[in-house]
DNA sequence: AACAGGGTCAACCGCAGCTTC
DNA sequence: AGAAGCTGCGGTTGACCCTGT
């Protein structure tokens, strides 16, 4: 097999690090025109010196037009906490339940906000419990039982501790700046005509170098007024079914446990 | 004003599972 | 059948930003 030989040579020249607005425009314009057909082959005809993986990540986590930016709502936070407790760090499954949120965003939010809050809440409760019951919890078993009960309380989404401690300090400027930048990209989607010359320039290269014919289905998809997103991982039925499976599994186990 | 420390988040890395050849 | 490629996932990193001193 020699399929990977040229790819390995190319990888040495690939750019890494933050994406420039120009790169973003190239990727969006290319996907809008041709759809997503093969991440590893796409960068070259799109005029990008990036790995397919990098392009995919940029698209999925930042450029997709259906991405919701800004702060998480209380409902979203509760959903994340609830699902994380039920199914663990299955961020893609959790993301599937929160429309417009990416797994990376949820994962980051969990590590930077929610995890800390849960830990603080847990330690506060442990402190309270141990001071209140200090004289009674003499033997080790009783102590363990108490801790178990405390963590059970914390696992409950209706627990007042978690919800009440959610920090609502305003971050308007941050949110606005994100929205401003993202708005520029979003505006790309409102144009029915692709204006990027990069795509026009690379069109011939696409056909020549890759030796592929554009699928008519993909062409039609991207000629439609309303964007349709062929990256199926977020809308694809099988994926939704799988995420439902995990969530339902959690719900079922709750029911059997009488939660 | 300058620096240090902590927080945030975009991006990378490595791996696993599936598909293709 | 098995090697190689592709895709997606979760963990981790590092640059940037903010806040306190």
């Amino acid at each position: 097999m020699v399929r990977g030989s040229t790819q390995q040579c190319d990888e040495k020249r690939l750019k890494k690090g933050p994406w420039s607005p120009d790169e973003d425009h190239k990727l969006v314009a290319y996907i809008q025109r041709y759809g997503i057909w093969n991440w590893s082959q796409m960068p070259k005809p799109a005029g990008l010196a990036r790995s397919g993986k990098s392009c995919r990540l940029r698209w999925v986590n930042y450029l997709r037009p259906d991405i919701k930016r800004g702060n998480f709502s209380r409902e979203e936070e509760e959903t994340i906490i609830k699902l994380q407790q039920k199914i663990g760090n299955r961020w893609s499954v959790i993301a599937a339940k929160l429309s417009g949120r990416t797994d990376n965003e949820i994962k980051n939010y969990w590590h930077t906000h929610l995890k800390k809050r849960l830990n603080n809440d847990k330690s506060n409760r442990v402190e309270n419990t141990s001071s209140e019951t200090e004289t009674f919890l003499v033997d080790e078993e009783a102590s363990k039982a108490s801790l178990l009960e405390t963590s059970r309380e914390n696992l409950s989404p209706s627990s007042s501790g978690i919800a009440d401690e959610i920090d609502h300090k305003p971050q308007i400027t941050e949110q606005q700046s994100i929205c401003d930048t993202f708005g520029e990209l979003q505006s790309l989607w409102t144009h029915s005509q692709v204006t990027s010359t990069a795509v026009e320039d690379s069109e011939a290269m696409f056909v020549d170098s890759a030796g592929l014919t554009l699928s008519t289905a993909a062409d039609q998809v991207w000629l439609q007024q309303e964007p349709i997103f062929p990256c199926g991982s977020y809308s694809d039925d099988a994926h939704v079914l799988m995420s439902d499976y995990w969530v339902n599994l959690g719900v079922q186990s709750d029911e059997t446990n009488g939660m």
Side-chain angles (χ1 to χ4, degrees):
Chain A
M1 293 272 181
V2 284
R3 277 199 284 175
S5 58
T6 51
Q7 192 184 353
Q8 279 169 2
C9 294
D10 288 345
E11 273 173 9
K12 290 173 187 171
R13 285 173 270 139
L14 294 179
K15 191 186 166 191
K16 288 183 182 178
W19 281 63
S20 67
D22 184 49
E23 287 176 307
D24 284 343
H25 278 83
K26 282 181 181 176
L27 183 60
V28 169
Y30 185 85
I31 290 175
Q32 193 175 26
R33 188 175 177 92
Y34 299 114
I36 297 163
W37 50 281
N38 184 324
W39 285 115
S40 62
Q41 304 286 323
M42 274 169 55
K44 203 177 172 186
L48 294 163
R50 295 274 183 176
S51 70
K53 228 175 178 181
S54 180
C55 291
R56 181 192 154 271
L57 206 70
R58 183 64 178 169
W59 171 258
V60 168
N61 288 330
Y62 197 81
L63 299 175
R64 257 171 55 216
D66 56 336
I67 287 179
K68 197 194 285 179
R69 312 299 295 189
N71 293 346
F72 280 70
S73 68
R74 182 174 288 207
E75 287 76 21
E76 286 174 318
E77 287 182 341
E78 285 177 1
T79 305
I80 294 168
I81 292 167
K82 201 169 152 184
L83 291 177
Q84 202 280 337
Q85 302 296 354
K86 281 176 185 168
I87 61 176
N89 299 352
R90 300 182 63 87
W91 307 119
S92 57
V93 177
I94 296 172
K97 284 288 163 190
L98 297 172
S99 63
R101 300 293 188 184
T102 70
D103 53 356
N104 205 35
E105 198 180 6
I106 292 170
K107 180 172 60 183
N108 282 334
Y109 194 71
W110 170 261
H111 287 303
T112 56
H113 295 87
L114 302 178
K115 196 175 165 184
K116 240 173 272 175
R117 266 180 223 152
L118 276 179
N119 284 341
N120 287 342
D121 189 56
K122 208 175 276 186
S123 59
N124 287 343
R125 281 170 177 270
V126 169
E127 270 178 29
N128 291 341
T129 311
S130 58
S131 61
E132 282 166 13
T133 58
E134 200 176 358
T135 49
F136 300 105
L137 296 177
V138 183
D139 78 276
E140 202 182 342
E141 285 306 309
S143 178
K144 279 179 187 171
S146 168
L147 283 170
L148 194 66
E149 189 59 36
T150 308
S151 47
R152 270 200 196 122
E153 281 174 28
N154 288 330
L155 296 186
S156 163
S158 58
S159 157
S160 59
I162 298 165
D164 290 346
E165 282 187 24
I166 288 171
D167 186 7
H168 287 289
K169 83 178 161 189
Q171 298 181 344
I172 297 165
T173 40
E174 186 192 344
Q175 197 176 342
Q176 243 169 1
S177 72
I178 289 168
C179 291
D180 286 349
T181 317
F182 192 66
E184 290 172 20
L185 292 165
Q186 290 273 13
S187 70
L188 268 173
W189 295 98
T190 64
H191 300 303
S192 57
Q193 292 287 328
V194 179
T195 52
S196 169
T197 51
V199 171
E200 297 298 332
D201 293 344
S202 63
E203 190 175 355
M205 189 166 76
F206 166 69
V207 178
D208 289 342
S209 65
L212 294 167
T213 321
L214 289 172
S215 101
T216 40
D219 274 340
Q220 284 167 1
V221 160
W222 294 99
L223 286 171
Q224 290 181 20
Q225 289 287 336
E226 198 171 333
I228 296 170
F229 318 110
C231 61
S233 56
Y234 288 85
S235 55
D236 151 83
D237 288 346
H239 190 92
V240 172
L241 280 173
M242 277 309 287
S243 56
D244 280 344
Y245 167 77
W246 285 104
V247 173
N248 291 337
L249 206 63
V251 172
Q252 277 169 16
S253 78
D254 279 358
E255 284 167 357
T256 43
N257 290 335
M259 280 178 78

